[in-house]
């Protein structure tokens, strides 16, 4: 299975449709920590906001953006900032929030610019445009005749709605005080807007409506990255981008919990009301669209609200904290109260899915004992000390003695017992629940900590402890370290014993938008996993797919063959090839004869003509056989460039103490050419001028060293290489008369860019 991909920054002729402005699907919510709010669609013309307030100054915003910053580039709505020809109406119903007529009651804040282009905000009190009661009223807004201000007409502030960035409705709890402070008890409130209608010449806007064919890849989603969107919006993107089957949904670590005095609690239920409402809607819509949902829960919890006694700790008492800002912490598998909490949370999410008609599926996501950046294991919280009697392990890096290894073995056994108890808790509520384990290989198989797998890939996880083993290795993938990926999979299979048919693979993710080029390696890694027979491959995750404009598709006919045949053009025919390096340069000549030149390509794309090598009937027969086998231009192959096929002591990188993989390159002054087809056995490598045999050469001409070279160290390589080419035309014309007359046939080839 070969997957094509593209990153779209904007639409370029793809299918579009029309959508009403203020369509319920496309509203979002925002709010400060630790409160929680969620928006769901209850009908084609209706939405509901559920909110949980903990502080007196908590304020949620129900937001309409003029610019679609959330949908995939091919599915977003058009930007139109002028609302003067729009009239919005809806019915308002609310409870648990300040009513329409109250001071600090719901206000429509409009952010934009005035008629002179100066930034402005207007504050439109909804009660001034409502008819009914403060908690049940019809609201009608004509943006061409709209005034801000609390009391009208005395405090009238005319709105100019011709250049609006966004608008939002503010929602606060009774007892609101901008000065802050905790509410006496948490307040749960809700607002419903029904019968939402937009009229006028500007009431309809264009929206992307592309539909990507099903491609076989699945997708993950994460609540911490999508809580502000409606489930309908999230699933629309998944469906129209071609993802089918199961969605692995990570419930997150920072938005699902209830709080009491700032600490997580099970009082009132495992999930806060807003989270429960969002996920109930998500489950219902997933069922209707034919998706399965695998509910994913980790041992990770937002640190600020985790009970101190639940946290994993290093020997000096330091809590396990991740690198997120603000940080999360890891719950101790030895803490019975913490594990009972996870049991309740897991059952609550699976309950929501089953109630919506979904089959029960549950994943334990990346459970592990945390390791500090300096190698200290977090095995020393009070519960772990009581359960493990651990000896001192100053660092898991390097060699450990027998007693230290025994400590890690006991920690691993305890971790395995805790995951078994977690899945048992779900199965007690839902017999037949399919269970999954997600293991992050770069951490549990860290080469610098060879014994760490004792505690973080325990033998208690071996088949058949879980129905499905899911493997993830995105740090290796995005670094181009294919050797570690292959070795990691082999090590996991050897240790845990799950056949490929009982494995699934997670490929990704891309943390920042400026790293979106990493999707190329991520998609390729998913293909490698599918080629080795895993049950399914997932991209992690849908919010990043939407953000970066990723489109994937199956390359037609590539299930049975690859687009490149790793065979060489017959040397006897190719050694007399004519070579034509070609650039693409735009040259604009001014009136005075001056030129402006712009190079559209970073390097040359070479054209070849191998016709001069055709000298006999046997040559013609060999050429025709080779042309037919390649199906003309359909399939690439290797060609030895008679003038450029070797590199000698070429610098391919500089060490930084972390990076192990470096791409082969041939240099031409300040420019270079990626070498993707080195000749097998021809590559030699030096590190800081000293030859080394501790490396491998992977696909695409990527050299991976066994150990990362020190910072500032020069990494160089010598090699021979072929060029990836294809036939330039669908038609090949040669005859006996051509070579008998001493004329050269024309057999054009063109270089194929592979990197």
């Amino acid at each position: 299975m070969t997957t094509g991909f593209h990153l779209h920054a904007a639409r370029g002729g793809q299918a579009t449709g029309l959508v009403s402005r203020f369509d319920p699907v496309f509203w979002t919510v925002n709010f400060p920590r630790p409160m929680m709010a969620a928006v769901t669609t209850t009908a084609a013309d209706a939405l509901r906001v559920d909110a949980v307030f903990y502080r007196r100054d908590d304020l949620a915003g129900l937001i309409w953006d003029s610019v679609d910053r959330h949908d995939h580039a091919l599915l977003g709505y058009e930007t139109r900032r002028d609302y003067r020809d729009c009239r919005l109406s809806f019915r308002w119903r609310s409870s648990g929030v300040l009513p329409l007529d109250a001071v600090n009651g719901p206000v429509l804040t409009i952010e934009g610019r005035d008629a002179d282009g100066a930034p402005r905000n207007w504050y439109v009190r909804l009660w001034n445009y409502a008819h009914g009661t403060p908690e049940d009223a019809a609201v009608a807004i004509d943006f061409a005749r709209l005034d801000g201000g609390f009391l009208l007409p005395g405090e009238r502030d005319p709105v100019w709605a011709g250049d609006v960035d966004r608008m939002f409705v503010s929602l606060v709890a009774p007892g609101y005080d901008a000065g802050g402070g905790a509410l006496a008890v948490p307040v749960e409130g809700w607002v419903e807007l029904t019968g939402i209608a937009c009229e006028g010449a500007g009431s309809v806007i264009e929206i992307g409506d592309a539909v990507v064919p099903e491609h076989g890849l699945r997708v993950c989603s994460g609540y911490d990255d999508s809580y502000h969107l409606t489930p309908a919006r999230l699933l629309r993107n998944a469906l129209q981008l071609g993802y089918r089957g199961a969605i692995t949904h990570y419930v997150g670590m920072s938005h699902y919990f209830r709080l009491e005095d700032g600490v997580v609690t099970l009082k009132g239920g495992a999930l806060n009301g807003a989270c429960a409402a969002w996920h109930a809607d998500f489950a219902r819509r997933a069922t209707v669209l034919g998706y399965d949902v695998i509910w994913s829960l980790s041992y990770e919890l937002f640190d600020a609200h985790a009970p101190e006694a639940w946290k994993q700790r290093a020997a000096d008492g330091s809590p396990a904290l991740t690198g997120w800002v603000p940080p999360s912490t890891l719950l101790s598998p030895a803490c019975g109260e913490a594990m009972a909490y996870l049991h309740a949370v897991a059952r609550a999410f699976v309950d929501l899915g089953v109630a919506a008609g979904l089959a029960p599926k549950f994943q334990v996501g990346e459970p592990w004992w945390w390791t500090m950046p300096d190698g200290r294991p977090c095995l020393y919280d009070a519960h772990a000390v009581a359960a493990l009697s651990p000896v001192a392990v100053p660092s898991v890096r390097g060699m450990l003695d027998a007693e230290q290894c025994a400590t890690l073995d006991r920690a691993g056994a305890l971790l395995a017992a805790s995951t078994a108890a977690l899945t048992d808790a779900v199965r007690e509520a839902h017999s037949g629940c399919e269970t999954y384990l997600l293991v992050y290989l770069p951490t549990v198989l860290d080469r610098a900590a060879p014994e760490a797998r004792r505690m973080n890939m325990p033998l208690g996880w071996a088949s058949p402890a879980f129905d499905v083993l899911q493997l993830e290795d995105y740090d290796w993938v995005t670094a181009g370290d294919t050797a570690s990926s292959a070795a990691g999979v082999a090590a996991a299979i050897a240790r845990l014993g799950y056949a490929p048919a009982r494995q699934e693979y997670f490929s990704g993710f891309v943390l920042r938008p400026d790293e979106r080029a990493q999707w190329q390696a991520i998609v390729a890694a998913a293909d490698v996993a599918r080629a080795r027979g895993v049950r399914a491959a997932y991209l992690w995750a849908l919010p990043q797919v939407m953000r970066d404009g990723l489109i994937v598709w199956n390359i037609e006919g590539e299930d049975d063959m690859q687009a490149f045949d790793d065979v060489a053009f017959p040397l006897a025919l190719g050694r007399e090839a004519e070579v034509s390096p070609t650039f693409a340069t735009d040259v604009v000549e001014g009136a005075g004869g001056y030129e402006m030149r712009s190079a559209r390509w970073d390097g040359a794309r070479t054209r070849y003509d191998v016709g001069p090598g055709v000298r006999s009937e046997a040559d013609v027969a060999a050429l025709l056989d080779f042309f037919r086998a390649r199906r003309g231009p359909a399939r690439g192959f290797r060609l030895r460039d008679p003038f450029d096929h070797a590199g000698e002591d070429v610098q391919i990188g500089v060490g930084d103490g972390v990076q192990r993989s470096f791409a082969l390159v041939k240099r031409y002054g300040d420019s270079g050419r990626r070498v993707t087809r080195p000749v097998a056995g021809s590559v030699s490598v030096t590190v800081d001028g000293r030859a080394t045999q501790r490396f491998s050469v992977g696909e695409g001409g990527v050299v991976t060293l066994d150990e990362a070279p020190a910072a500032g160290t020069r990494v160089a390589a010598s090699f021979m290489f072929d060029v990836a080419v294809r036939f330039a035309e669908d038609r090949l014309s040669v005859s006996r008369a051509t070579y008998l007359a001493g004329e050269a046939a024309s057999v054009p080839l063109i270089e194929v860019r592979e990197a």
Side-chain angles (χ1 to χ4, degrees):
M1 184 77 68
T2 300
T3 306
F5 84 101
H6 193 267
L7 298 172
H8 288 268
R11 281 197 296 276
Q14 291 84 8
T16 60
L18 298 173
V19 67
S20 174
R21 260 179 170 169
F22 305 109
D23 185 298
V25 170
F26 301 100
W27 290 78
T28 63
V29 289
N30 199 6
F31 45 87
R33 296 184 188 276
M35 79 163 292
M36 181 59 199
V39 56
T40 55
T41 49
T42 55
D45 61 352
L47 63 81
R48 177 183 170 103
V49 179
D50 289 273
V52 184
F53 303 91
Y54 294 107
R55 297 179 52 82
R56 295 183 184 278
D57 57 347
D58 281 347
L59 181 151
L62 174 63
I63 303 167
W64 178 268
D65 278 300
S66 296
V67 180
D68 188 340
R69 306 180 191 280
H70 306 292
D71 288 294
H72 190 281
L74 301 189
L75 299 176
Y77 54 79
E78 69 169 308
T79 297
R80 198 183 294 178
R81 302 178 188 272
D82 192 344
Y83 291 79
R84 290 173 296 172
D85 49 6
C86 295
R87 298 182 300 278
L88 171 65
S89 61
F90 52 85
R91 180 185 177 186
W92 171 285
R93 295 178 62 246
S94 64
S95 176
V97 301
L98 277 181
L100 291 170
D101 65 339
V103 175
N104 296 319
V107 168
L108 177 66
T109 298
I110 300 175
E111 300 175 343
R113 283 154 292 279
D114 63 19
D116 296 323
R120 271 293 314 267
N121 292 344
W122 294 270
Y123 305 96
V124 179
R125 188 187 185 201
L126 290 183
W127 183 241
N128 291 333
Y129 296 90
H131 295 85
T133 71
E135 293 184 325
D136 188 348
V139 178
I141 296 173
D142 185 344
F143 288 96
R145 288 174 286 278
L146 186 62
D147 292 319
F150 187 78
L151 296 175
L152 301 183
E155 298 175 356
R156 177 174 178 267
D157 180 16
V159 174
W160 193 77
D163 192 4
V164 174
D165 292 328
R166 71 168 186 166
M167 54 187 77
F168 65 90
V169 178
S170 56
L171 307 173
V172 300
Y176 174 79
D177 183 346
L183 291 165
V185 294
V187 174
E188 296 195 4
W190 57 266
V191 171
E192 288 183 346
L193 306 187
T194 58
I196 299 172
C198 187
E199 299 176 331
S203 63
V204 175
I205 54 178
E206 185 179 80
I207 189 169
D209 201 24
V211 177
V212 177
E214 180 179 352
H215 42 66
L217 288 177
R218 296 180 178 181
V219 76
C220 303
S221 61
Y223 187 48
D224 285 347
D225 289 334
S226 54
Y227 62 87
H228 58 299
L229 306 178
T230 64
R233 188 175 192 171
L234 193 68
L235 289 170
R236 172 181 180 262
N237 277 264
L239 186 73
Q240 294 194 214
L241 295 176
Y243 299 98
R244 300 293 188 273
I247 296 174
T248 297
H249 178 72
Y250 177 43
V251 302
M253 52 84 181
S254 63
H255 287 90
Y256 66 75
F257 42 70
R258 290 178 177 269
L259 296 177
E260 182 180 46
D261 297 328
V263 178
V264 298
T265 180
L266 289 175
K267 291 183 179 179
L271 311 179
N272 66 64
C275 168
W278 192 96
H279 283 92
D281 189 50
F282 177 78
R284 285 193 297 268
R285 294 182 181 280
T287 301
V288 170
L289 295 176
Y291 287 111
D292 288 321
V293 174
I294 302 168
W295 303 98
S296 170
L297 177 66
S298 73
Y299 283 35
E300 191 175 354
L301 193 62
F302 192 65
D303 178 67
H305 304 305
E308 291 297 319
W310 293 10
K311 300 177 184 180
Q312 296 180 26
R313 295 183 183 274
D316 65 355
S318 302
L321 297 179
T322 66
W324 301 112
V325 179
S328 54
T329 190
L330 276 295
L331 303 185
S332 173
C335 178
E337 189 177 2
M339 295 300 100
Y341 177 76
L342 291 184
H343 295 181
V345 171
R347 285 193 299 262
F349 279 111
V350 178
D351 286 348
L352 289 175
V354 171
L358 293 171
K361 297 177 183 291
F362 175 68
Q363 178 215 80
V364 186
E366 296 180 353
W368 51 37
W369 293 99
W370 190 251
T371 301
M372 295 294 198
D374 58 5
R376 289 176 295 149
C378 291
L379 304 173
Y380 300 95
D381 61 89
H383 302 282
V385 169
L388 301 175
S389 300
V391 301
V393 183
S395 174
V396 294
R397 295 182 182 149
M399 300 301 295
L400 303 182
D401 63 30
E403 288 189 353
Q404 291 171 327
C405 288
T407 289
L408 299 192
D409 285 336
R410 292 195 297 276
L414 194 154
L415 179 62
S418 77
T419 57
L422 179 54
T423 55
D424 286 346
V426 177
R427 280 177 165 155
E428 286 173 6
H430 301 286
S431 62
C433 178
E434 189 169 42
T435 60
Y436 298 72
L437 173 70
L438 177 62
V439 178
Y440 184 61
L441 296 179
T443 293
V444 302
L445 297 177
D446 184 356
R447 282 182 299 274
E451 304 297 347
R453 69 189 66 186
R454 293 174 179 270
M455 66 177 182
N456 281 333
M457 191 186 280
L459 293 175
W461 285 348
S463 178
F466 296 87
D467 295 312
V468 181
L469 174 66
Q470 295 176 318
L471 300 178
E472 184 177 21
D473 62 351
Y474 59 81
D475 272 1
W476 290 337
V477 169
T478 56
D481 192 353
T482 56
S484 289
S485 291
V489 168
I493 294 173
R495 186 166 177 84
L496 301 181
Y498 291 82
R502 290 181 55 212
Q503 292 178 38
E504 295 183 344
Y505 178 71
F506 278 28
S507 197
F509 70 91
V510 179
L511 180 61
R512 300 194 307 268
D514 61 336
E515 297 174 331
R516 62 203 298 262
Q518 293 176 347
W519 285 112
Q520 179 175 5
I522 290 167
V523 172
D527 278 350
V528 170
R530 290 200 286 179
R532 67 179 175 85
V534 299
R535 195 168 81 161
Y538 297 75
L539 295 186
W540 175 262
L542 182 58
Q544 287 74 34
V545 167
M546 294 160 62
R547 179 197 68 195
D548 294 340
L550 176 68
I551 288 287
V552 295
W553 66 90
N554 288 335
I555 297 177
E556 196 68 32
E558 292 303 310
D559 287 354
D560 301 320
M561 60 182 184
Q562 296 297 312
F564 188 92
D565 292 332
D566 199 19
V567 297
F569 188 78
L571 289 178
L573 303 184
R575 66 167 59 100
E576 297 185 39
E578 295 179 357
V579 182
S580 304
T582 304
F583 289 89
T585 307
D586 295 323
V587 180
V588 178
E589 187 173 313
Y594 294 100
E595 293 181 343
M596 294 182 62
R597 296 178 297 278
S598 176
R600 287 189 280 137
W601 296 351
D602 290 337
R605 188 181 188 191
T606 307
R607 292 178 176 271
Y608 301 89
D609 192 333
V610 294
V614 179
R615 300 256 180 111
S616 67
E617 290 189 32
D619 290 347
V620 172
L623 175 62
L624 291 174
D625 285 349
F626 195 81
F627 182 80
R628 291 177 185 275
R630 308 287 81 76
R631 301 187 183 184
R635 308 180 62 72
F637 51 92
R638 289 173 176 257
L639 177 72
R640 186 71 48 84
D641 187 320
F643 304 107
D644 186 10
H645 55 264
E648 184 68 29
D649 193 36
V650 180
Q651 180 171 317
I652 59 175
V654 177
D656 61 5
V658 177
Q659 185 177 354
R660 296 170 53 229
S661 296
F662 303 89
L664 292 177
V665 63
K666 178 70 183 293
R667 304 209 178 270
Y668 308 92
D670 293 335
S671 64
R673 176 189 202 177
R674 275 281 283 110
V675 173
T676 59
R677 300 288 168 178
V679 176
S682 73
V683 180
S684 60
V685 177
T686 61
V687 178
D688 201 22
R690 293 185 293 273
T692 179
Q693 301 297 320
R694 301 185 65 197
F695 70 91
S696 60
V697 182
E699 291 187 12
V702 176
V703 171
T704 300
L705 299 168
D706 291 355
E707 300 292 338
T713 302
R714 180 178 184 267
V715 181
S718 300
F719 48 84
M720 296 184 64
F721 67 95
D722 296 325
V723 181
V725 298
R726 63 170 173 83
F727 287 100
E729 298 174 356
D730 283 304
R731 182 170 177 263
L732 179 62
S733 179
V734 292
S735 69
R736 293 178 74 250
T738 300
Y739 67 81
L740 288 175
E743 299 176 2
S746 179
V747 185
L749 310 179
I750 188 168
E751 183 178 357
V752 175
R753 286 283 179 86
E754 295 189 298

